[in-house]
Amino acid sequence: MMTGLKCCIKKDIKEVLRTGKVILFAAMVLGIAVMIMGFTMIFTDIPDALTEQLPGFDISALESMMVTLYPKRVAGSVGVYSYYIGVFLSLVAILVIHSLLPKEIRNGKWVLPLEQGYSKRVLITSKCIVYGLLAFVFVFIGYMLYFSVAKTFMLNDLSAGNAVFLAMIHGLNLFFIITFTLLLSVCFKSSVWAAISMIGTILVAPDIFGMLPFGKYLPTYMLTIVYDTITDHSRVVGPLMLNILLLAFTYIIAVNRVEKLSVSR
């Protein structure tokens, strides 16, 4: 199985490079970083400009809003960056990959690999590894680059060690989002439901579950950790373990379902 998996991984890496998905991920990560930093430098200076132009005018509400939206402290700023990555990059990635496996099966792209002795399990596993790790690597690198640049002109209240920790957690967030999307796409009759369920989870679950007393143990709390720049490492253990268990469970269901599907040209 390992030899077959290595060959499939090489094939999927070539596919990712050929189809431009690497460029898409890189552009999203870099574009969001530039946007947030640009907004931070532009909008946080507006209250000072208004104070000079309109002396005596109460701008405390505007200042408070600017600090909340685009803080000039590193911890708050990387939290905003993490939120935009968690929402917009995830949204684009889900829309791009949710139909990947079903289309390959439907268009007969699995026929030749299966005839050559590769198993359906290997084909699914390879996709999850390649696309999941692609997301992890780009999010981790993007987070660390953002942190490195932000601390040069913002008040640095986040240590490098905690930045690495949070970068890894957010990389894992995107890894789980991608792999769950791929696996769910073959669990449902229509891959659209996989996209809808994952998008709904990302957009709604962190806020709703965050208000519940047991919310900190749920998988989506890993998103809250990076959004709020929580540096207590122990708080990630429960959600991470549950994510791993759910992923293993979903993987088993997906493989069993695909094994029952007939693949033809």
Side-chain angles (χ1 to χ4, degrees):
M1 176 178 175
M2 290 305 298
T3 301
L5 181 59
K6 288 179 181 178
C7 292
C8 286
I9 288 175
K10 290 180 181 178
K11 185 266 294 181
D12 285 329
I13 290 174
K14 291 178 181 178
E15 175 191 282
V16 167
L17 294 172
R18 186 184 71 254
T19 56
K21 293 184 178 68
V22 168
I23 297 175
L24 174 64
F25 273 74
M28 288 287 295
V29 168
L30 180 61
I32 291 173
V34 172
M35 180 185 71
I36 299 301
M37 285 190 174
F39 286 169
T40 300
M41 289 187 288
I42 293 171
F43 290 129
T44 53
D45 289 335
I46 291 178
D48 294 334
L50 288 177
T51 300
E52 294 179 2
Q53 297 296 324
L54 303 170
F57 186 72
D58 185 10
I59 59 169
S60 57
L62 179 61
E63 286 181 318
S64 177
M65 183 180 70
M66 289 296 107
V67 169
T68 301
L69 292 177
Y70 303 105
K72 275 198 169 181
R73 291 177 177 267
V74 172
S77 187
V78 294
V80 173
Y81 173 71
S82 299
Y83 176 80
Y84 276 74
I85 288 289
V87 173
F88 294 108
L89 179 60
S90 296
L91 179 62
V92 171
I94 289 170
L95 293 176
V96 168
I97 69 165
H98 80 278
S99 61
L100 192 63
L101 285 174
K103 279 185 178 179
E104 286 192 352
I105 297 172
R106 188 167 57 249
N107 295 337
K109 291 186 177 181
W110 280 18
V111 174
L112 186 58
L114 293 176
E115 289 177 348
Q116 292 179 341
Y118 295 96
S119 68
K120 295 175 181 178
R121 178 190 297 270
V122 165
L123 295 174
I124 292 176
T125 304
S126 174
K127 278 287 190 297
C128 290
I129 291 174
V130 171
Y131 282 87
L133 288 181
L134 174 71
F136 176 90
V137 168
F138 274 102
V139 171
F140 179 84
I141 293 174
Y143 191 101
M144 292 308 300
L145 285 175
Y146 188 93
F147 166 76
S148 299
V149 175
K151 70 178 183 178
T152 63
F153 68 96
M154 297 183 190
L155 180 62
N156 189 11
D157 54 350
L158 182 66
S159 69
N162 283 326
V164 172
F165 165 73
L166 291 167
M168 291 185 66
I169 297 304
H170 212 20
L172 285 172
N173 283 333
L174 270 293
F175 175 87
F176 285 125
I177 289 169
I178 295 297
T179 50
F180 273 122
T181 302
L182 286 169
L183 295 173
L184 289 174
S185 70
V186 294
C187 290
F188 293 107
K189 287 186 177 181
S190 172
S191 62
V192 173
W193 290 111
I196 292 173
S197 61
M198 289 306 300
I199 291 172
T201 300
I202 294 164
L203 295 181
V204 178
D207 291 332
I208 294 179
F209 292 156
M211 296 185 292
L212 302 175
F214 55 86
K216 62 183 179 180
Y217 302 109
L218 298 178
T220 52
Y221 189 69
M222 287 179 62
L223 289 168
T224 302
I225 288 174
V226 290
Y227 293 169
D228 294 344
T229 320
I230 297 172
T231 56
D232 182 356
H233 298 190
S234 64
R235 295 174 72 172
V236 77
V237 176
L240 178 58
M241 292 299 102
L242 191 52
N243 258 316
I244 293 172
L245 289 174
L246 285 175
L247 184 63
F249 179 71
T250 307
Y251 175 80
I252 293 171
I253 293 177
V255 170
N256 288 337
R257 176 167 172 74
V258 170
E259 291 289 354
K260 298 175 182 178
L261 296 176
S262 60
V263 179
S264 58
R265 295 184 185 276

